[in-house]
Amino acid sequence: MSLKYFHQTEMPAAMADSAPDIPQELIIDILLRLPTKSVGKCRCVSKPWRSLLSDPLFIKAHLSLHLHHPQKHILISISRSPPSSYLSVVTFTTTSGSSNNDGFLEKLTLLQNQLIFAQIVGSCNGLVLVLTFEGSDTPTMYLMNPTTRELVKFQHSPLVWDDADTSYGFGYDCSSDDYKIVMLSHDWLADKTEGYPAFVDVFSWRIGTWRRIGCFPYVPSSHSGVFLNGSIHWLALSKVDGLCVIIALDMSCEQFKQLPWPETDNTPRKRSRKLVVLGGCLGMVAVQSRHHMDVWMMKEYGVRESWTKFSVTIPKKASVWGPICLLGVDDVVLEMGGKNFVVHNLKERTMRDMLIAGIQDKFRRGVMGFCESLVSPTFYSQKWRAS
Amino acid sequence: MIVLNSSDGATFEVEESVAVQSQTIKHMIEDNCADTSIPLPNVNGVTLARVLEYIKKHAEAKDDEEGLKSFDAEFVKVDQASLFEIILAANYLDIKGLLDLTCQTVADQIKDLTVEEVRAIFNIMNDFTPEEEAKLRNDHAWAFE
């Protein structure tokens, strides 16, 4: 792989400790291939290795090498009577063989007992955005890396009224190597008097401040946006004709565009629709009845004809909330009423319960898949806290 | 046919179409540096023989994905020192597939090792004080679970 990120001058001071016969760039080539936890361990090898393996250039190169590995972690939010709400990570075991389990759950101590409940809002490059409601009306926002257990707290947009309906999104701007959090706020009261009261606020992780980038002519749905291909996508209602649309906010140019709707009804309706990312494609879930859910996947981004549908029949007495991710090519994992996960096989059209070790308490709707990465949420926040 | 000379004087003959999997050799041929033979002072005979075994197999069984996979798996079953020698040779000879294979093999071998074992393999001295190391391991407890 190309190691153009590293020139001699950009390397941390002394790599004199490397094995005398292996040049630095080959050691880096080897270390970039390590899974995230192994990199964490190797930071303890020596001071030069700690510098190298914490360097944002290394982390970025490591991310791009590992980003497209099949995702197998889910963050879930568990609400028991306060104050014992907590977050957990469910890991799906993809290797068949020894255990009969499909996965296992690990409790996280992050934010434990500090929250009434947590809403998981977005995931990108191994970072997850979580909103917590700790008693006041305004939620607190946290950006965390569930793999490395790093956590940064920051504030809601000061530009948004407490009573406004808000919708969130989280994404990455590759042109400025910046993570951005977006709030869409819609004030129902003002709707009668003003034309387009839906505002868009953006928080730049590098700079550490919120800024209002403008209004937009849609009514956002309450669900969080999903990040894919450099844009955050939301479902919304067009103010022009009242129909449902899919809008995408490009993280680099911060402009909105509309994506083609699949060949299906786009009138607003009671049973909600939801966006999801499945297998690297944009997906839309449309619940048709208690027992039937349609899932559309846009196999080729932006291409209307590539929308492909599969249907999920929900067994009686089950409450299935929606798909979360793909495991392999044919298996779709769905959340089941806060108690378990089920896997639906697209070829056989069968569904079975997953056996996840360690699930005890009910979890909240809105789990989020994430990938493992070393990206550190504290890296930039240290700078804006200092200033 | 191309003739290659290792650092310790061993001579190897290989077809040009096979040899050009090495970008280094390819450029030498193109620059007309290869009339009689190509000297490779950075690679010893044993290692060069192994490298040639790799590129010969990958040339002749190009489309047999399964066959190549099992060949590669067997190919890397060598001792650590030899593996590092092959990495250095693959780097010098600029053979991407072989470099990827051997670096990935080392990564797979070290990923579950302890910190001490990794230090031993790369011959690295621990320059942390016991307190520094303890704090670092504590901050990285997630990596040791």
Side-chain angles (χ1 to χ4, degrees):
Chain A
M1 78 149 250
S2 161
L3 293 159
K4 59 181 188 284
Y5 300 106
F6 297 100
H7 302 288
Q8 229 25 42
T9 49
E10 284 172 9
M11 288 286 292
M15 280 289 285
D17 293 6
S18 9
D21 40 14
I22 303 280
Q24 297 167 6
E25 77 258 19
L26 291 180
I27 295 203
I28 293 170
D29 191 322
I30 293 169
L31 296 179
L32 279 171
R33 295 164 189 271
L34 289 175
T36 317
K37 286 193 174 178
S38 308
V39 173
K41 257 198 286 184
C42 285
R43 285 180 179 162
C44 304
V45 162
S46 71
K47 287 181 183 174
W49 277 38
R50 179 184 55 183
S51 291
L52 167 68
L53 300 175
S54 310
D55 189 283
L57 286 176
F58 179 89
I59 290 175
K60 197 169 164 205
H62 183 270
L63 175 68
S64 62
L65 210 56
H66 292 259
L67 193 57
H68 299 293
H69 285 182
Q71 193 179 79
K72 52 182 172 75
H73 301 287
I74 308 276
L75 188 67
I76 67 180
S77 167
I78 294 186
S79 255
R80 283 166 40 190
S81 358
S84 58
S85 304
Y86 57 94
L87 294 168
S88 296
V89 173
V90 169
T91 303
F92 298 119
T93 42
T94 45
T95 48
S96 54
S98 50
S99 86
N100 287 322
N101 286 338
D102 294 300
F104 57 91
L105 180 144
E106 272 175 88
K107 260 176 104 158
L108 289 184
T109 52
L110 288 181
L111 297 180
Q112 195 174 299
N113 298 334
Q114 289 172 42
L115 44 106
I116 295 179
F117 63 90
Q119 184 185 335
I120 302 164
V121 159
S123 150
C124 170
N125 291 355
L127 296 178
V128 183
L129 181 66
V130 175
L131 292 186
T132 63
F133 295 83
E134 295 165 23
S136 73
D137 287 320
T138 322
T140 313
M141 303 179 94
Y142 288 93
L143 197 60
M144 65 176 66
N145 182 324
T147 311
T148 63
R149 320 281 203 244
E150 287 171 270
L151 183 74
V152 176
K153 179 180 183 174
F154 63 104
Q155 294 308 316
H156 223 232
S157 169
L159 306 162
V160 173
W161 273 318
D162 283 342
D163 290 338
D165 284 343
T166 46
S167 168
Y168 302 86
F170 173 47
Y172 176 70
D173 173 8
C174 55
S175 68
S176 59
D177 189 26
D178 192 8
Y179 289 91
K180 292 180 174 172
I181 291 136
V182 178
M183 280 181 69
L184 305 176
S185 56
H186 183 244
D187 188 345
W188 284 104
L189 290 175
D191 195 45
K192 299 193 171 81
T193 52
E194 293 172 52
Y196 300 121
F199 294 111
V200 187
D201 295 344
V202 176
F203 185 87
S204 144
W205 202 250
R206 272 189 178 257
I207 303 168
T209 54
W210 285 97
R211 92 204 118 82
R212 180 148 285 179
I213 64 172
C215 312
F216 80 142
Y218 301 100
V219 178
S221 81
S222 54
H223 292 295
S224 311
V226 297
F227 177 71
L228 181 69
N229 290 351
S231 295
I232 304 177
H233 304 73
W234 288 269
L235 288 170
L237 287 180
S238 160
K239 279 184 156 283
V240 172
D241 54 17
L243 295 176
C244 280
V245 292
I246 298 171
I247 50 171
L249 177 63
D250 184 296
M251 291 284 90
S252 304
C253 64
E254 294 181 354
Q255 302 285 326
F256 279 98
K257 71 172 197 232
Q258 240 177 267
L259 263 90
W261 192 261
E263 293 265 326
T264 182
D265 163 48
N266 64 347
T267 54
R269 28 173 245 175
K270 279 204 129 174
R271 285 187 190 274
S272 64
R273 301 179 180 97
K274 204 164 82 106
L275 291 179
V276 65
V277 175
L278 291 175
C281 300
L282 187 66
M284 186 177 80
V285 183
V287 175
Q288 306 293 15
S289 72
R290 276 223 71 212
H291 303 291
H292 177 210
M293 180 188 291
D294 283 339
V295 181
W296 292 87
M297 280 173 69
M298 193 192 261
K299 300 270 175 153
E300 268 182 74
Y301 186 74
V303 176
R304 194 206 169 105
E305 295 72 28
S306 73
W307 278 111
T308 316
K309 181 176 84 161
F310 66 87
S311 295
V312 176
T313 311
I314 301 159
K316 288 192 164 64
K317 299 201 179 164
S319 157
V320 175
W321 288 339
I324 313 159
C325 63
L326 287 189
L327 272 187
V329 180
D330 294 324
D331 286 325
V332 183
V333 176
L334 301 109
E335 325 176 46
M336 171 110 112
K339 296 188 201 141
N340 198 8
F341 296 95
V342 293
V343 63
H344 170 88
N345 184 286
L346 292 170
K347 282 213 177 112
E348 319 275 308
R349 317 254 254 133
T350 52
M351 192 185 282
R352 67 170 178 87
D353 281 339
M354 293 182 92
L355 211 61
I356 311 277
I359 289 193
Q360 298 171 303
D361 302 307
K362 269 191 85 161
F363 51 88
R364 289 179 58 79
R365 190 189 286 251
V367 307
M368 182 79 57
F370 66 92
C371 64
E372 279 188 7
S373 85
L374 298 159
V375 178
S376 167
T378 52
F379 183 73
Y380 291 118
S381 63
Q382 279 164 358
K383 300 184 183 166
W384 34 266
R385 265 149 221 278
S387 60
Chain B
M1 288 298 260
I2 298 287
V3 176
L4 304 170
N5 288 325
S6 72
S7 60
D8 45 2
T11 312
F12 299 86
E13 267 198 348
V14 66
E15 298 206 10
E16 185 175 322
S17 58
V18 172
V20 294
Q21 282 181 61
S22 153
Q23 294 296 307
T24 307
I25 294 177
K26 182 167 182 256
H27 293 319
M28 283 180 177
I29 296 174
E30 284 166 356
D31 295 344
N32 275 319
C33 306
D35 355 313
T36 45
S37 61
I38 298 182
L40 299 171
N42 289 9
V43 190
N44 66 35
V46 171
T47 308
L48 187 53
R50 287 204 171 108
V51 171
L52 291 178
E53 193 193 325
Y54 176 90
I55 60 177
K56 277 181 188 160
K57 179 71 180 181
H58 276 251
E60 76 190 28
K62 224 173 3 172
D63 299 315
D64 177 13
E65 228 186 279
E66 281 306 309
L68 283 180
K69 256 194 188 159
S70 41
F71 171 83
D72 285 354
E74 284 306 305
F75 182 81
V76 291
K77 288 183 181 166
V78 293
D79 61 278
Q80 195 92 73
S82 302
L83 193 55
F84 279 161
E85 291 289 345
I86 300 173
I87 287 180
L88 290 172
N91 186 46
Y92 170 66
L93 294 170
D94 198 356
I95 305 171
K96 185 176 183 320
L98 183 57
L99 190 60
D100 276 341
L101 172 66
T102 44
C103 284
Q104 187 62 51
T105 303
V106 175
D108 291 337
Q109 285 171 354
I110 68 173
K111 71 178 192 223
D112 292 322
L113 295 184
T114 64
V115 173
E116 292 77 10
E117 286 165 335
V118 174
R119 286 184 188 132
I121 289 189
F122 290 96
N123 202 20
I124 296 175
M125 213 187 57
N126 178 7
D127 56 353
F128 292 117
T129 66
E131 295 78 28
E132 284 171 338
E133 186 168 353
K135 180 172 192 309
L136 198 56
R137 282 183 187 245
N138 192 43
D139 290 342
H140 288 85
W142 55 270
F144 291 92
E145 278 162 17

